[in-house]
Structures are given as structure tokens and as C-alpha cells.
Amino acid sequence: MPEELPQLDRETLCQWSTLSYPGLVKELCALFIGSELLPKDELNDLIDRAFSRFRHREVVHLSRLRNGLNVLELWHGVTYAFKDLSLSCTAQFLQYFLEKREKHVTVVVGTSGDTGSAAIESVQGAKNMDIIVLLPKGHCTKIQELQMTTVLKQNVHVFGVEGNSDELDEPIKTVFADVAFVKKHNLMSLNSINWSRVLVQMAHHFFAYFQCTPSLDTHPLPLVEVVVPTGAAGNLAALPGAASPLPLQPSSRKLSWLLA
């Protein structure tokens, strides 16, 4: 975790306002991942590789509706989940450092549907990672279940378990509480508060703000109200980081659900 958030001045924000979504991700990641750890050109290559299978050429697209209402489309990844964006990058970063350090990890994931399929998609076939996914039988959509159970890569291991996603979190928490066991088997997780995921998700808010704001020449900067459909608020974790330099205001109205 970073000890502090970098301070961005108006000049930097103006420069960033013309960038594509992948360009913003690259600039944000470079603020937190020093070139001594990961050279900038290699960082950029990893991010390009992460987004190479997204269906939309912009990766993330802002659809303009009416009366100032806009929808940020985060569903153009392989599994149609917003988690494809951050997990695809996180997996690339992990593989880079694991290969460099000649290490192997086992990723343990409990899922209600979208996390499992997005995590599997991001790491399947990776040489330095195995993934174990626990899915609650009967509690995932059919397409999510198929996304998880039809992957035939040797490093992917999927198990159906009794109970709902909250109940299956308990044995996972118990496993990770055993520090010696975790170290012995090189276990890790890719949950919603994984810092790499939060870092990439900050780009959502920057990109949306720049797309919604006609000019950054005004003082103070224009206010943008943000409504985020959420279950357990995992996709809200990046908002405080983005709201530090940007005048973003979470909506006080009841959050709406976008139903597929």
C-alpha cells in the first residue's frame, strides 16, 4: 500500500484530459510503480497486453444520454464484468514480477460470479500462477458458471461449494489467517481491496471526469456527480483516490441497479 497519494497539479490534469483510457492507466500506474521496479516502456507493454482482448477500441467508452446523464461502459472485457479492467492489468503485473523473481503463487478466490470468471480469464495459462476458485453452487448465473467451468488450462482449478458467497468467504478467511500455511504454499488472493485493482480502477473516475467536463480552465474545477451501482462497494474503493485531485461527488440519491 502507498504511504501517501501523489499531488496532481492543474497542468498535469490538463495533460491527462486528452489521454485515452489505456493512456490514463499508464500514467496513474507510473505514479505508484517506480521505474526502478518496472521500466516505463515495459509497464506500458504490460498494460497494452492486458487490454488487447477488449472488444471496444477505446477499452472504456462514455455513452452520452440526455439531460447531462452519461453512462461509463465498463463491460467490454472478455467476461463482460468491470473487473476485467483491473484484473487483466493485475495479472500482467503479477506474472512479470513472479517470473523475474522465479517464484510461483497460488491465487485463492471466492466468488459470487464475476470475480471468479474475470480472475480466471486474467491468469489462465500463466506459468507462475495457479488459481483456485470456489463458486457457490446454484448462486451464479449460468453464463458465469460456464465461464469458470469450461476453462481447460492446467493452472485453473474450479470447485463448486455449498452455501452462498458470504458463507464461502469464511473458510477462505480462516486459511489466510494461518500465516505459516499461507507462506508454505505461497497463497494470495485477488479480492476487491487488492491495491493493484484499486489503482487501475482510479482511471475510471479520471476518464469519466475528463469526458464529462468541457473545460478545465475554470476556477474551481467543475463538479461532477457520480452514481455507482454496487453490491458490496468493491467498485467504489478507488473513488477516494480519484476524488483527491478531482471534484467528484458521490450521489446522495439512492443508488440505482443496472440490470443486464
Side-chain angles (χ1 to χ4, degrees):
M1 290 291 292
E3 295 181 358
E4 59 184 20
L5 292 175
Q7 298 300 306
L8 302 177
D9 55 28
R10 186 180 289 263
E11 181 181 355
T12 300
L13 292 177
C14 288
Q15 292 172 352
W16 283 14
S17 67
T18 62
L19 295 177
S20 63
Y21 176 82
L24 275 171
V25 173
K26 292 171 184 176
E27 292 301 321
L28 275 166
C29 288
L31 287 178
F32 294 92
I33 305 174
S35 58
E36 71 281 0
L37 285 176
L38 181 52
K40 184 71 180 294
D41 58 340
E42 293 187 56
L43 172 65
N44 291 346
D45 287 344
L46 293 176
I47 293 170
D48 286 336
R49 197 178 306 162
F51 295 145
S52 63
R53 297 185 64 198
F54 279 68
R55 294 179 298 277
H56 200 287
R57 60 182 178 82
E58 297 177 64
V59 180
V60 168
H61 177 70
L62 187 88
S63 288
R64 302 185 186 278
L65 304 183
R66 59 184 178 182
N67 300 325
L69 180 64
N70 304 281
V71 175
L72 191 64
E73 299 175 0
L74 304 176
W75 56 77
H76 296 295
V78 175
T79 74
Y80 294 83
F82 83 93
K83 296 174 182 179
D84 285 328
L85 290 156
S86 57
L87 281 168
S88 61
C89 291
T90 298
Q92 290 293 329
F93 300 158
L94 267 174
Q95 178 59 31
Y96 175 87
F97 287 112
L98 288 170
E99 189 171 353
K100 191 174 182 180
R101 297 169 184 175
E102 298 183 346
K103 291 187 176 181
H104 181 279
V105 297
T106 298
V107 180
V108 181
V109 174
T111 185
S112 59
D114 52 354
T115 299
S117 53
I120 288 171
E121 171 58 34
S122 67
V123 307
Q124 62 167 310
K127 297 178 181 178
N128 299 70
M129 286 180 276
D130 273 65
I131 184 169
I132 297 173
V133 175
L134 306 181
L135 68 89
K137 291 191 291 186
H139 292 273
C140 298
T141 66
K142 189 63 177 179
I143 188 172
Q144 289 171 331
E145 187 175 314
L146 288 171
Q147 284 175 339
M148 289 182 273
T149 57
T150 58
V151 177
L152 302 179
K153 300 294 184 181
Q154 290 188 346
N155 69 324
V156 175
H157 317 279
V158 181
F159 300 91
V161 298
E162 301 294 339
N164 59 38
S165 59
D166 290 330
E167 290 170 330
L168 69 85
D169 279 343
E170 293 306 314
I172 294 176
K173 290 177 183 177
T174 302
V175 167
F176 280 99
D178 188 338
V179 177
F181 184 84
V182 169
K183 288 183 177 180
K184 178 181 178 181
H185 297 282
N186 293 325
L187 302 182
M188 66 167 292
S189 185
L190 286 175
N191 60 19
S192 298
I193 57 172
N194 180 287
W195 168 244
S196 178
R197 288 181 59 179
V198 174
L199 172 58
V200 175
Q201 285 172 196
M202 280 198 285
H204 305 352
H205 302 285
F206 279 93
F207 184 74
Y209 181 82
F210 293 143
Q211 292 287 306
C212 291
T213 306
S215 173
L216 298 181
D217 294 332
T218 59
H219 296 272
L221 290 171
L223 181 68
V224 171
E225 186 178 33
V226 181
V227 180
V228 181
T230 184
N235 50 347
L236 279 171
L239 183 56
S244 178
L246 298 178
L248 294 171
Q249 175 180 301
S251 176
S252 58
R253 297 192 297 267
K254 184 178 179 180
L255 297 183
S256 302
W257 283 93
L258 299 181
L259 299 178

PDB file of all heavy atoms in Angstrom, residues 52-73:
ATOM      1  N   SER A  52      -5.578  -5.959 -24.663  1.00  0.00           N
ATOM      2  CA  SER A  52      -5.557  -6.351 -26.076  1.00  0.00           C
ATOM      3  C   SER A  52      -6.801  -7.120 -26.514  1.00  0.00           C
ATOM      4  O   SER A  52      -7.133  -7.136 -27.702  1.00  0.00           O
ATOM      5  CB  SER A  52      -4.308  -7.186 -26.368  1.00  0.00           C
ATOM      6  OG  SER A  52      -4.322  -8.400 -25.613  1.00  0.00           O
ATOM      7  N   ARG A  53      -7.513  -7.745 -25.581  1.00  0.00           N
ATOM      8  CA  ARG A  53      -8.673  -8.564 -25.945  1.00  0.00           C
ATOM      9  C   ARG A  53     -10.001  -7.866 -25.671  1.00  0.00           C
ATOM     10  O   ARG A  53     -11.061  -8.483 -25.782  1.00  0.00           O
ATOM     11  CB  ARG A  53      -8.621  -9.904 -25.208  1.00  0.00           C
ATOM     12  CG  ARG A  53      -7.413 -10.765 -25.587  1.00  0.00           C
ATOM     13  CD  ARG A  53      -7.478 -12.114 -24.928  1.00  0.00           C
ATOM     14  NE  ARG A  53      -8.625 -12.882 -25.385  1.00  0.00           N
ATOM     15  CZ  ARG A  53      -9.127 -13.939 -24.738  1.00  0.00           C
ATOM     16  NH1 ARG A  53      -8.590 -14.320 -23.596  1.00  0.00           N
ATOM     17  NH2 ARG A  53     -10.162 -14.578 -25.224  1.00  0.00           N
ATOM     18  N   PHE A  54      -9.964  -6.593 -25.322  1.00  0.00           N
ATOM     19  CA  PHE A  54     -11.215  -5.876 -25.094  1.00  0.00           C
ATOM     20  C   PHE A  54     -11.891  -5.583 -26.430  1.00  0.00           C
ATOM     21  O   PHE A  54     -11.241  -5.303 -27.437  1.00  0.00           O
ATOM     22  CB  PHE A  54     -10.959  -4.579 -24.321  1.00  0.00           C
ATOM     23  CG  PHE A  54     -10.828  -4.802 -22.833  1.00  0.00           C
ATOM     24  CD1 PHE A  54      -9.743  -5.484 -22.310  1.00  0.00           C
ATOM     25  CD2 PHE A  54     -11.802  -4.352 -21.968  1.00  0.00           C
ATOM     26  CE1 PHE A  54      -9.625  -5.716 -20.948  1.00  0.00           C
ATOM     27  CE2 PHE A  54     -11.701  -4.574 -20.604  1.00  0.00           C
ATOM     28  CZ  PHE A  54     -10.612  -5.257 -20.086  1.00  0.00           C
ATOM     29  N   ARG A  55     -13.220  -5.645 -26.420  1.00  0.00           N
ATOM     30  CA  ARG A  55     -13.977  -5.561 -27.664  1.00  0.00           C
ATOM     31  C   ARG A  55     -14.085  -4.140 -28.213  1.00  0.00           C
ATOM     32  O   ARG A  55     -14.235  -3.954 -29.418  1.00  0.00           O
ATOM     33  CB  ARG A  55     -15.395  -6.131 -27.453  1.00  0.00           C
ATOM     34  CG  ARG A  55     -15.421  -7.622 -27.170  1.00  0.00           C
ATOM     35  CD  ARG A  55     -16.841  -8.105 -26.941  1.00  0.00           C
ATOM     36  NE  ARG A  55     -17.445  -7.460 -25.784  1.00  0.00           N
ATOM     37  CZ  ARG A  55     -17.255  -7.865 -24.526  1.00  0.00           C
ATOM     38  NH1 ARG A  55     -16.474  -8.909 -24.289  1.00  0.00           N
ATOM     39  NH2 ARG A  55     -17.838  -7.249 -23.529  1.00  0.00           N
ATOM     40  N   HIS A  56     -14.049  -3.133 -27.352  1.00  0.00           N
ATOM     41  CA  HIS A  56     -14.190  -1.747 -27.807  1.00  0.00           C
ATOM     42  C   HIS A  56     -12.806  -1.148 -28.016  1.00  0.00           C
ATOM     43  O   HIS A  56     -11.913  -1.326 -27.191  1.00  0.00           O
ATOM     44  CB  HIS A  56     -14.980  -0.923 -26.787  1.00  0.00           C
ATOM     45  CG  HIS A  56     -15.565   0.330 -27.346  1.00  0.00           C
ATOM     46  ND1 HIS A  56     -14.789   1.434 -27.652  1.00  0.00           N
ATOM     47  CD2 HIS A  56     -16.842   0.667 -27.670  1.00  0.00           C
ATOM     48  CE1 HIS A  56     -15.569   2.396 -28.123  1.00  0.00           C
ATOM     49  NE2 HIS A  56     -16.816   1.956 -28.149  1.00  0.00           N
ATOM     50  N   ARG A  57     -12.634  -0.413 -29.101  1.00  0.00           N
ATOM     51  CA  ARG A  57     -11.303   0.145 -29.408  1.00  0.00           C
ATOM     52  C   ARG A  57     -10.839   1.139 -28.340  1.00  0.00           C
ATOM     53  O   ARG A  57      -9.639   1.350 -28.162  1.00  0.00           O
ATOM     54  CB  ARG A  57     -11.315   0.823 -30.782  1.00  0.00           C
ATOM     55  CG  ARG A  57     -12.304   1.965 -30.925  1.00  0.00           C
ATOM     56  CD  ARG A  57     -12.297   2.546 -32.332  1.00  0.00           C
ATOM     57  NE  ARG A  57     -13.275   3.609 -32.501  1.00  0.00           N
ATOM     58  CZ  ARG A  57     -13.067   4.870 -32.135  1.00  0.00           C
ATOM     59  NH1 ARG A  57     -11.909   5.211 -31.609  1.00  0.00           N
ATOM     60  NH2 ARG A  57     -14.003   5.784 -32.306  1.00  0.00           N
ATOM     61  N   GLU A  58     -11.783   1.764 -27.617  1.00  0.00           N
ATOM     62  CA  GLU A  58     -11.419   2.695 -26.548  1.00  0.00           C
ATOM     63  C   GLU A  58     -11.216   1.979 -25.215  1.00  0.00           C
ATOM     64  O   GLU A  58     -10.834   2.598 -24.233  1.00  0.00           O
ATOM     65  CB  GLU A  58     -12.513   3.764 -26.376  1.00  0.00           C
ATOM     66  CG  GLU A  58     -12.730   4.666 -27.577  1.00  0.00           C
ATOM     67  CD  GLU A  58     -13.872   5.632 -27.332  1.00  0.00           C
ATOM     68  OE1 GLU A  58     -13.751   6.481 -26.422  1.00  0.00           O
ATOM     69  OE2 GLU A  58     -14.892   5.521 -28.033  1.00  0.00           O
ATOM     70  N   VAL A  59     -11.494   0.693 -25.156  1.00  0.00           N
ATOM     71  CA  VAL A  59     -11.467  -0.138 -23.943  1.00  0.00           C
ATOM     72  C   VAL A  59     -12.623   0.257 -23.020  1.00  0.00           C
ATOM     73  O   VAL A  59     -13.442  -0.567 -22.647  1.00  0.00           O
ATOM     74  CB  VAL A  59     -10.114  -0.050 -23.200  1.00  0.00           C
ATOM     75  CG1 VAL A  59     -10.139  -0.925 -21.946  1.00  0.00           C
ATOM     76  CG2 VAL A  59      -8.974  -0.474 -24.114  1.00  0.00           C
ATOM     77  N   VAL A  60     -12.669   1.529 -22.620  1.00  0.00           N
ATOM     78  CA  VAL A  60     -13.782   2.073 -21.838  1.00  0.00           C
ATOM     79  C   VAL A  60     -14.415   3.189 -22.655  1.00  0.00           C
ATOM     80  O   VAL A  60     -13.714   4.036 -23.216  1.00  0.00           O
ATOM     81  CB  VAL A  60     -13.293   2.622 -20.482  1.00  0.00           C
ATOM     82  CG1 VAL A  60     -14.378   3.455 -19.802  1.00  0.00           C
ATOM     83  CG2 VAL A  60     -12.855   1.480 -19.571  1.00  0.00           C
ATOM     84  N   HIS A  61     -15.746   3.190 -22.719  1.00  0.00           N
ATOM     85  CA  HIS A  61     -16.451   4.188 -23.543  1.00  0.00           C
ATOM     86  C   HIS A  61     -17.500   4.909 -22.711  1.00  0.00           C
ATOM     87  O   HIS A  61     -18.176   4.292 -21.886  1.00  0.00           O
ATOM     88  CB  HIS A  61     -17.124   3.500 -24.729  1.00  0.00           C
ATOM     89  CG  HIS A  61     -17.935   4.429 -25.585  1.00  0.00           C
ATOM     90  ND1 HIS A  61     -17.356   5.399 -26.381  1.00  0.00           N
ATOM     91  CD2 HIS A  61     -19.283   4.545 -25.758  1.00  0.00           C
ATOM     92  CE1 HIS A  61     -18.306   6.062 -27.016  1.00  0.00           C
ATOM     93  NE2 HIS A  61     -19.482   5.568 -26.656  1.00  0.00           N
ATOM     94  N   LEU A  62     -17.627   6.228 -22.900  1.00  0.00           N
ATOM     95  CA  LEU A  62     -18.665   7.006 -22.239  1.00  0.00           C
ATOM     96  C   LEU A  62     -19.812   7.255 -23.212  1.00  0.00           C
ATOM     97  O   LEU A  62     -19.616   7.880 -24.254  1.00  0.00           O
ATOM     98  CB  LEU A  62     -18.109   8.354 -21.741  1.00  0.00           C
ATOM     99  CG  LEU A  62     -19.105   9.147 -20.889  1.00  0.00           C
ATOM    100  CD1 LEU A  62     -18.982   8.760 -19.422  1.00  0.00           C
ATOM    101  CD2 LEU A  62     -18.881  10.648 -21.042  1.00  0.00           C
ATOM    102  N   SER A  63     -20.978   6.741 -22.872  1.00  0.00           N
ATOM    103  CA  SER A  63     -22.174   6.974 -23.689  1.00  0.00           C
ATOM    104  C   SER A  63     -22.927   8.181 -23.139  1.00  0.00           C
ATOM    105  O   SER A  63     -23.238   8.237 -21.948  1.00  0.00           O
ATOM    106  CB  SER A  63     -23.100   5.758 -23.660  1.00  0.00           C
ATOM    107  OG  SER A  63     -22.560   4.707 -24.407  1.00  0.00           O
ATOM    108  N   ARG A  64     -23.206   9.126 -24.014  1.00  0.00           N
ATOM    109  CA  ARG A  64     -23.919  10.336 -23.599  1.00  0.00           C
ATOM    110  C   ARG A  64     -25.409  10.142 -23.852  1.00  0.00           C
ATOM    111  O   ARG A  64     -25.831   9.868 -24.978  1.00  0.00           O
ATOM    112  CB  ARG A  64     -23.386  11.550 -24.367  1.00  0.00           C
ATOM    113  CG  ARG A  64     -21.888  11.743 -24.155  1.00  0.00           C
ATOM    114  CD  ARG A  64     -21.365  13.013 -24.810  1.00  0.00           C
ATOM    115  NE  ARG A  64     -19.917  13.095 -24.710  1.00  0.00           N
ATOM    116  CZ  ARG A  64     -19.267  13.531 -23.629  1.00  0.00           C
ATOM    117  NH1 ARG A  64     -19.955  13.937 -22.573  1.00  0.00           N
ATOM    118  NH2 ARG A  64     -17.953  13.576 -23.611  1.00  0.00           N
ATOM    119  N   LEU A  65     -26.203  10.280 -22.816  1.00  0.00           N
ATOM    120  CA  LEU A  65     -27.642  10.110 -22.933  1.00  0.00           C
ATOM    121  C   LEU A  65     -28.295  11.489 -23.079  1.00  0.00           C
ATOM    122  O   LEU A  65     -28.069  12.182 -24.044  1.00  0.00           O
ATOM    123  CB  LEU A  65     -28.180   9.334 -21.721  1.00  0.00           C
ATOM    124  CG  LEU A  65     -27.503   7.962 -21.497  1.00  0.00           C
ATOM    125  CD1 LEU A  65     -28.131   7.235 -20.323  1.00  0.00           C
ATOM    126  CD2 LEU A  65     -27.558   7.109 -22.754  1.00  0.00           C
ATOM    127  N   ARG A  66     -29.068  11.938 -22.124  1.00  0.00           N
ATOM    128  CA  ARG A  66     -29.680  13.267 -22.225  1.00  0.00           C
ATOM    129  C   ARG A  66     -29.742  13.911 -20.846  1.00  0.00           C
ATOM    130  O   ARG A  66     -29.572  13.249 -19.823  1.00  0.00           O
ATOM    131  CB  ARG A  66     -31.082  13.168 -22.826  1.00  0.00           C
ATOM    132  CG  ARG A  66     -32.051  12.306 -22.047  1.00  0.00           C
ATOM    133  CD  ARG A  66     -33.381  12.197 -22.781  1.00  0.00           C
ATOM    134  NE  ARG A  66     -34.310  11.333 -22.051  1.00  0.00           N
ATOM    135  CZ  ARG A  66     -35.523  11.033 -22.490  1.00  0.00           C
ATOM    136  NH1 ARG A  66     -35.949  11.506 -23.653  1.00  0.00           N
ATOM    137  NH2 ARG A  66     -36.307  10.247 -21.775  1.00  0.00           N
ATOM    138  N   ASN A  67     -29.992  15.212 -20.855  1.00  0.00           N
ATOM    139  CA  ASN A  67     -30.064  15.991 -19.611  1.00  0.00           C
ATOM    140  C   ASN A  67     -28.802  15.844 -18.760  1.00  0.00           C
ATOM    141  O   ASN A  67     -28.864  15.792 -17.532  1.00  0.00           O
ATOM    142  CB  ASN A  67     -31.297  15.575 -18.786  1.00  0.00           C
ATOM    143  CG  ASN A  67     -32.593  15.790 -19.537  1.00  0.00           C
ATOM    144  OD1 ASN A  67     -32.724  16.755 -20.301  1.00  0.00           O
ATOM    145  ND2 ASN A  67     -33.559  14.907 -19.335  1.00  0.00           N
ATOM    146  N   GLY A  68     -27.654  15.767 -19.437  1.00  0.00           N
ATOM    147  CA  GLY A  68     -26.382  15.682 -18.730  1.00  0.00           C
ATOM    148  C   GLY A  68     -26.078  14.336 -18.121  1.00  0.00           C
ATOM    149  O   GLY A  68     -25.107  14.188 -17.368  1.00  0.00           O
ATOM    150  N   LEU A  69     -26.888  13.324 -18.427  1.00  0.00           N
ATOM    151  CA  LEU A  69     -26.660  11.982 -17.888  1.00  0.00           C
ATOM    152  C   LEU A  69     -25.774  11.191 -18.840  1.00  0.00           C
ATOM    153  O   LEU A  69     -26.022  11.145 -20.047  1.00  0.00           O
ATOM    154  CB  LEU A  69     -27.993  11.260 -17.692  1.00  0.00           C
ATOM    155  CG  LEU A  69     -27.920   9.832 -17.126  1.00  0.00           C
ATOM    156  CD1 LEU A  69     -27.348   9.843 -15.710  1.00  0.00           C
ATOM    157  CD2 LEU A  69     -29.312   9.190 -17.126  1.00  0.00           C
ATOM    158  N   ASN A  70     -24.743  10.577 -18.296  1.00  0.00           N
ATOM    159  CA  ASN A  70     -23.812   9.775 -19.084  1.00  0.00           C
ATOM    160  C   ASN A  70     -23.639   8.415 -18.408  1.00  0.00           C
ATOM    161  O   ASN A  70     -23.758   8.300 -17.190  1.00  0.00           O
ATOM    162  CB  ASN A  70     -22.446  10.460 -19.182  1.00  0.00           C
ATOM    163  CG  ASN A  70     -22.540  11.856 -19.745  1.00  0.00           C
ATOM    164  OD1 ASN A  70     -22.665  12.046 -20.948  1.00  0.00           O
ATOM    165  ND2 ASN A  70     -22.485  12.866 -18.865  1.00  0.00           N
ATOM    166  N   VAL A  71     -23.315   7.408 -19.208  1.00  0.00           N
ATOM    167  CA  VAL A  71     -23.052   6.075 -18.679  1.00  0.00           C
ATOM    168  C   VAL A  71     -21.656   5.640 -19.107  1.00  0.00           C
ATOM    169  O   VAL A  71     -21.327   5.648 -20.296  1.00  0.00           O
ATOM    170  CB  VAL A  71     -24.088   5.044 -19.180  1.00  0.00           C
ATOM    171  CG1 VAL A  71     -23.716   3.639 -18.709  1.00  0.00           C
ATOM    172  CG2 VAL A  71     -25.486   5.406 -18.686  1.00  0.00           C
ATOM    173  N   LEU A  72     -20.833   5.277 -18.131  1.00  0.00           N
ATOM    174  CA  LEU A  72     -19.483   4.797 -18.421  1.00  0.00           C
ATOM    175  C   LEU A  72     -19.546   3.291 -18.630  1.00  0.00           C
ATOM    176  O   LEU A  72     -19.912   2.541 -17.722  1.00  0.00           O
ATOM    177  CB  LEU A  72     -18.544   5.138 -17.268  1.00  0.00           C
ATOM    178  CG  LEU A  72     -17.053   4.925 -17.534  1.00  0.00           C
ATOM    179  CD1 LEU A  72     -16.554   5.861 -18.636  1.00  0.00           C
ATOM    180  CD2 LEU A  72     -16.243   5.145 -16.257  1.00  0.00           C
ATOM    181  N   GLU A  73     -19.210   2.852 -19.839  1.00  0.00           N
ATOM    182  CA  GLU A  73     -19.315   1.434 -20.193  1.00  0.00           C
ATOM    183  C   GLU A  73     -18.044   0.692 -19.784  1.00  0.00           C
ATOM    184  O   GLU A  73     -16.990   0.861 -20.386  1.00  0.00           O
ATOM    185  CB  GLU A  73     -19.551   1.299 -21.699  1.00  0.00           C
ATOM    186  CG  GLU A  73     -20.836   1.969 -22.171  1.00  0.00           C
ATOM    187  CD  GLU A  73     -20.994   1.922 -23.686  1.00  0.00           C
ATOM    188  OE1 GLU A  73     -20.107   1.365 -24.370  1.00  0.00           O
ATOM    189  OE2 GLU A  73     -22.000   2.462 -24.187  1.00  0.00           O
TER     190      GLU A  73
END
